[in-house]
Amino acid sequence: MKLAIELAKSVKGQTTPNPPVGAVVVKDHSIVGFGAHLKSGEAHAEVIAIEMAKERAIGATLYVTLEPCSHYGKTAPCVEFIIEKQLKKVVIACLDEHDKVAGKGMKKLERAGVEVEVGLLRNEALPLYDMFFHYVGTKLPYVTVKTAISMDGKIATKTGESKWITNKTARLDVHHYRHHHDAILVGIHTILQDNPRLTTRIKGGKHPIRLILDTHLRMPMDANVVTDCLVETWIFVGNHVRREKIEKFSDRDFVRIIPMKDEVVHIKEVLEYVATNHITSVFVEGGATVNDAFLQQKLINQLILYIAPLVIGGKDAKTAFAGIGFEKLADSLQLEVKQVDLLDDNVKIVAVRKE
């Protein structure tokens, strides 16, 4: 099962809207097949592992990180394939919370006479499915907000200078999170100020779809996210933006302008839109105003905080969240710290929302 989990980790971020899954086939105390689901529409991990095992799959045990599917989608049900190939036992780390599976795969295997064991290394496998389970349960993408601060909680000086608060190791770490998320979101101010590419700069990294909140459509035609054609850019605008202004982007194949229902771009509406387009996770790298919009509506599932060993000071220096904040501590966003790492001389804290 440890090997199956590592296989699933290796494909995290590239299987959307499907979850990452690893599988291992064991016969006579030897591994005879293994695999991971590489991409939506392609063979599932169980099928790859069993096909590698060939005739040795008969009477073998399958270890899989997530309950095998029992319904027809882009591929045939894995449960039927397991039964057809006459495996003796299936060991599952986590049951699938998708309503099309949710224990149905396990029960179908048992009815066919296949022994089923559930829960082996479940706690180790669960982090693989936080985003997927949230998406199928709420019909909204899993939202991670990332921010980098000084030791006194500032993201920039009072003049707006912020490059670079964190060290190179911390900045590289961010790119791994970009790879693992389906989309990256910023406000138009970040585009106007920094002209970023919002891509993943690690070997073999996947570029997330770029989501830009741009109420008045101030996006420059020569911005990197418009011209580089590396990945799609979706720009969310208010319903007051003139059609001729939108049509200026009509010849940009990688750019999509999306008018909202109101003159203001509402975060919840943006998330609902991207969810219907099979985006299961969003990595927010906006400024204090964008961060506050997610905070006020309690739409943050995970917060990643990088802390650099410097003190900026000043009441006018920017903090990670703008706005007026919450008046009562009871109304604040309650988080649970899951991880603390030292990245050279920077500290990284990963916290998730308490349910």
Side-chain angles (χ1 to χ4, degrees), residues 78-130:
C78 291
V79 164
E80 292 186 5
F81 191 74
I82 293 167
I83 296 169
E84 175 192 337
K85 296 301 179 179
Q86 302 177 52
L87 277 84
K88 179 182 179 181
K89 182 177 180 179
V90 176
V91 182
I92 303 167
C94 303
L95 291 180
D96 195 337
E97 294 183 10
H98 195 296
D99 55 8
K100 290 184 178 180
V101 187
K104 297 182 181 72
M106 177 187 68
K107 291 176 182 177
K108 192 168 185 178
L109 288 169
E110 290 176 331
R111 286 197 298 267
V114 179
E115 183 183 351
V116 178
E117 179 184 334
V118 178
L120 180 64
L121 298 186
R122 179 178 182 274
N123 290 338
E124 287 84 344
L126 267 179
L128 288 165
Y129 304 113
D130 287 347

Side-chain angles (χ1 to χ4, degrees), residues 239-255:
N239 66 2
H240 64 288
V241 176
R242 299 189 310 275
R243 179 178 297 178
E244 56 267 27
K245 198 172 183 180
I246 294 174
E247 289 177 347
K248 290 181 180 179
F249 294 87
S250 61
D251 63 341
R252 305 302 173 101
D253 294 337
F254 283 77
V255 177

